[in-house]
Amino acid sequence: MPQMIHKPAARYPMQMLRDGRPGAVRFHLTVHPDGSVTDFTVVDSTGREFESAARLAVLAWRAEPYPVGWCRTPVRMGSRMDFAVA
């Protein structure tokens, strides 16, 4: 499975933070041989605000590029991002 080497955190949606609302987004993404991330697709979430924040963060992620001679096929994977008020 690809290893993420750059994984900036999502910004907590301001209104949700003010309201003290936690949230979560389950999603799929595609990691390409060069380490780029595309095709963010929401599986389910606790709100559109959280989906937007997760999408912006995930599309900035980068994975370790595949080793030379390794499979050159993009990998589809799933993950979850939780938002919690501290």
Side-chain angles (χ1 to χ4, degrees):
M1 177 158 29
Q3 295 298 311
M4 294 298 162
I5 57 173
H6 179 70
K7 196 173 176 180
R11 296 179 87 179
Y12 211 109
M14 192 56 67
Q15 188 60 49
M16 301 298 109
L17 184 60
R18 280 189 210 124
D19 294 346
R21 287 189 47 202
V25 181
R26 284 189 329 134
F27 55 90
H28 290 140
L29 59 108
T30 300
V31 179
H32 297 271
D34 67 356
S36 62
V37 174
T38 62
D39 303 323
F40 176 93
T41 306
V42 173
V43 175
D44 67 10
S45 76
T46 55
R48 286 196 176 276
E49 298 88 347
F50 294 114
E51 291 175 20
S52 295
R55 175 178 275 101
L56 285 173
V58 169
L59 292 178
W61 289 3
R62 294 282 299 172
E64 182 78 33
Y66 295 6
V68 174
W70 202 56
C71 176
R72 303 304 294 169
T73 304
V75 174
R76 189 81 173 149
M77 55 190 281
S79 191
R80 176 185 169 119
M81 185 176 291
D82 293 306
F83 295 82
V85 179

